[in-house]
Amino acid sequence: MTDLPTSTDKKLGLVIDLDTCVGCHACVISCKGWNTENYGAPLSDQRPYGEEPMGTFLNRVHSYEVTPKGQAAQTVHFPKSCLHCENAPCVTVCPTGASYKRKEDGIVLVNESSCIGCGLCAWACPYGARELDQAEGVMKKCTLCVDRIYNENLPEEDREPACVRTCPAGARHFGDFADPESNVSKLTAERGGMDLMPELGTAPVNKYLPPRPKDTWDDESILAPFLEPVAEETAGFLGWIDKQLSRLPGDTNKMEGAE
Amino acid sequence: MHPAPSVIVFSVLSGIGFGMLAWLGIESTPATGMTAFWWYLVAFGLAVVGLVSSTFHLGHPERALKAFTQWRTSWLSREGVCAVLALCVMGLYAAALIFMGTHIAILGWIGAALSLITVYTTSMIYGQLATIPRWNTPLTTVLFLTFSITGGALISGRISTALVLLVASAFVQVIWWKKGDTAFADRGSDLGTATGLGKRGTVRSMAHPHTSPNYLMREFIHVIGRKHAQKLRVISLVLMAGVPVVLLVLPFNHIFGLLAVLSHLAGVATSRWLFFAEAEHTVGIYYGAR
């Protein structure tokens, strides 16, 4: 049955740091690679070298521009994948039971052999996290790399989602939000992790860390005082040369205080 | 939302078919024999053609039987279950009338109730979606049920009832449009809440994830169809209610009756096309579009 579990033992998910993401799309590529070569139907492409190429992706990176009032605009790269919501609307609408949320770790998955490809779960997801594969006719979504994170055939450092493993900026973090001492819980608490579209009541597990505030043009520089000249009066041999040279005409840069 | 023809055909035809079955089920002195056969052929034809058409947009129609399993949570599954129950009960009721000339009133009432419950479940498939504020209102259920019993009354020849219902359905339709036009803004979702960055300043989509449209954009962002929305609304109202009312008020004639039915069907289909084409999904926000 596609009932949601009342609670899950673990809440596995991602923290995505919008301050650190550089928008390189490496997570998009590693996700597509791993999820095409491993669990489930491959992520197909349509007309990959033709006009208007199209394909299935479980993770996409948007780029936004935020303009604070009276300040310079700021670019924010914004990776988006399934948020593994606690109150996942995509699960309960499924007519076949193909979509489910796991009680043990909270991961939202699709059993592809039961999926009829009706697309209603994609309609129910506010975030665009689910895509109907155009070649296979089944719904694809982020599995949180369920075939990596528990895979004892992989070296321990590889037992995390492909997107997290590959991120060169360290903008993606994987962990258990049910454990208040986990890396992701601490990051969320320290940096004010945000939910996307909280008004829809989906209770997403994944959190986004807001960009840190940037300097403004009006701010006094804290380094400027250290740039003051350390010696006002010239002295010694070089001082004597400076004085003699200053007497000669032809200086293009009149230094302040030079006689 | 992308207006998929199969879903429009499905919801228009099966809605009217089940509405007609509901009217046939509650008749106190129903026709029997061959006369009954033709009435039920039309009603079952509309309902079944609609249901079959709904399987055309599936990625794996061969697994459609699995869709009957999740009635505890899924409105789509409930619709399937209710539709089959309604068709079975009304099938027995109709068979008794046609082949034995027996009127089992209680069976007809149960079948009529199941037929309307089926239309209710259809409306809830759309009405439940918080992601599409225009649909996410109890008025969607009122709209679907009104259209269903109006079309049913018209096709089954209940002229005086149909006249009242045609005016009522035009009224419901206008209210639904009016409420729907502000529904997205009323919900308060924008790029600010969608990215969590709204408190920091104004947010603008600068670059899409990929250079050409993807499944999400094709499915959820349908801006082309909205260009003529206002004209289509007027056309829909005229065809759905205006023309049939005039034709029914004129002295009765079977040609006029047929024209009224065809005009009504065209009007409801136009309305249903707009139902999808004008619907804005929250995914559009992420693409800086509706």
Side-chain angles (χ1 to χ4, degrees):
Chain A
M1 284 287 176
T2 43
D3 290 330
L4 286 168
T6 45
S7 67
T8 56
D9 304 336
K10 285 183 174 182
K11 290 183 194 172
L12 297 186
L14 303 175
V15 160
I16 294 168
D17 190 343
L18 297 178
D19 193 63
T20 314
C21 177
V22 294
C24 71
H25 291 236
C27 53
V28 178
I29 303 307
S30 64
C31 168
K32 179 108 172 174
W34 179 266
N35 288 293
T36 290
E37 293 149 14
N38 294 280
Y39 163 82
L43 304 175
S44 70
D45 286 317
Q46 283 72 44
R47 308 171 300 281
Y49 304 103
E51 275 186 36
E52 290 225 330
M54 182 176 160
T56 310
F57 288 82
L58 311 183
N59 177 31
R60 294 181 184 265
V61 180
H62 293 255
S63 294
Y64 297 114
E65 185 188 74
V66 188
T67 314
K69 208 172 166 97
Q71 292 179 35
Q74 185 185 343
T75 301
V76 178
H77 300 293
F78 194 94
K80 185 161 60 62
S81 53
C82 174
L83 308 173
H84 298 279
C85 301
E86 287 182 62
N87 187 16
C90 55
V91 169
T92 50
V93 298
C94 176
T96 68
S99 280
Y100 59 105
K101 184 170 174 70
R102 307 209 312 177
K103 192 180 179 319
E104 61 268 38
D105 53 17
I107 301 179
V108 177
L109 289 175
V110 176
N111 175 1
E112 291 175 6
S113 61
S114 290
C115 176
I116 56 173
C118 69
L120 191 58
C121 55
W123 289 18
C125 171
Y127 309 106
R130 289 174 168 246
E131 301 193 12
L132 190 70
D133 189 86
Q134 303 297 298
E136 291 287 334
V138 295
M139 196 54 73
K140 300 295 296 185
K141 70 175 293 301
C142 163
T143 66
L144 217 54
C145 283
V146 69
D147 50 349
R148 287 176 67 98
I149 58 177
Y150 299 116
N151 190 339
E152 291 183 2
N153 296 318
L154 295 177
E156 200 165 343
E157 64 269 28
D158 283 336
R159 290 180 211 160
E160 58 182 12
C163 57
V164 176
R165 185 77 180 101
T166 206
C167 179
R172 305 178 71 97
H173 307 268
F174 166 68
D176 177 13
F177 287 88
D179 172 10
E181 293 306 309
S182 69
N183 59 336
V184 287
S185 296
K186 285 182 181 165
L187 271 171
T188 305
E190 282 167 20
R191 299 271 309 279
M194 314 179 291
D195 285 346
L196 306 188
M197 280 196 259
E199 69 274 15
L200 293 184
T202 50
V205 169
N206 284 13
K207 303 288 182 226
Y208 283 76
L209 305 182
R212 293 180 175 92
K214 297 284 187 277
D215 294 345
T216 65
W217 296 111
D218 308 327
D219 282 350
E220 286 288 321
S221 169
I222 51 167
L223 292 176
F226 296 104
L227 295 175
E228 294 294 324
V230 287
E232 295 291 342
E233 294 296 322
T234 50
F237 176 62
L238 287 176
W240 179 79
I241 290 183
D242 179 44
K243 272 190 187 124
Q244 302 315 311
L245 288 174
S246 298
R247 284 181 183 166
L248 297 173
D251 273 358
T252 49
N253 281 331
K254 280 272 179 202
M255 275 191 56
E256 206 181 346
E259 290 165 24
Chain B
M1 300 293 292
H2 169 67
S6 63
V7 178
I8 294 172
V9 170
F10 147 68
S11 66
V12 170
L13 294 189
S14 70
I16 290 176
F18 281 112
M20 189 173 171
L21 283 174
W23 285 113
L24 292 177
I26 60 166
E27 275 179 331
S28 50
T29 51
T32 55
M34 276 314 278
T35 323
F37 173 79
W38 290 113
W39 282 122
Y40 282 99
L41 183 72
V42 172
F44 274 95
L46 288 169
V48 173
V49 167
L51 288 174
V52 170
S53 151
S54 74
T55 63
F56 290 167
H57 82 285
L58 298 181
H60 283 275
E62 77 281 6
R63 299 175 187 158
L65 280 181
K66 292 193 182 209
F68 292 103
T69 59
Q70 304 302 310
W71 48 269
R72 275 174 50 194
T73 58
S74 166
W75 283 107
L76 182 51
S77 186
R78 287 172 196 163
E79 182 201 40
V81 172
C82 289
V84 169
L85 283 177
L87 291 176
C88 286
V89 172
M90 285 307 288
L92 283 175
Y93 175 73
L97 283 173
I98 295 165
F99 301 112
M100 298 188 291
T102 318
H103 177 216
I104 312 169
I106 181 73
L107 210 53
W109 279 92
I110 294 172
L114 285 169
S115 299
L116 291 184
I117 292 171
T118 305
V119 178
Y120 170 67
T121 55
T122 307
S123 73
M124 285 306 292
I125 294 172
Y126 305 107
Q128 69 174 332
L129 295 170
T131 48
I132 305 167
R134 188 183 284 275
W135 296 352
N136 191 213
T137 155
L139 276 178
T140 300
T141 296
V142 178
L143 184 79
F144 274 60
L145 280 171
T146 315
F147 277 20
S148 170
I149 56 170
T150 305
L154 183 63
I155 296 188
S156 61
R158 287 165 170 73
I159 292 176
S160 50
T161 315
L163 274 171
V164 176
L165 284 173
L166 283 168
V167 176
S169 54
F171 187 66
V172 171
Q173 174 70 86
V174 170
I175 293 177
W176 188 86
W177 277 333
K178 206 164 159 44
K179 189 160 164 35
D181 286 345
T182 56
F184 204 100
D186 292 346
R187 188 59 55 88
S189 297
D190 57 21
L191 204 40
T193 67
T195 59
L197 300 169
K199 284 178 214 135
R200 315 171 69 83
T202 52
V203 190
R204 172 177 87 86
S205 171
M206 201 168 71
H208 288 174
H210 294 87
T211 48
S212 58
N214 57 40
Y215 161 77
L216 299 168
M217 299 173 76
R218 288 172 196 273
E219 187 77 359
F220 300 122
I221 306 170
H222 185 81
V223 286
I224 309 159
R226 298 179 193 146
K227 187 179 170 194
H228 297 300
Q230 291 303 327
K231 284 178 212 163
L232 285 170
R233 284 180 177 187
V234 174
I235 292 170
S236 164
L237 277 182
V238 168
L239 289 176
M240 177 206 312
V243 174
V245 164
V246 171
L247 288 170
L248 291 187
V249 172
L250 291 172
F252 182 75
N253 172 323
H254 274 102
I255 300 291
F256 285 177
L258 181 67
L259 286 176
V261 167
L262 292 177
S263 172
H264 180 74
L265 277 175
V268 173
T270 311
S271 153
R272 200 52 51 83
W273 188 86
L274 284 169
F275 180 84
F276 288 97
E278 287 195 284
E280 300 143 317
H281 193 287
T282 51
V283 164
I285 295 174
Y286 286 102
Y287 290 87
R290 292 277 191 83

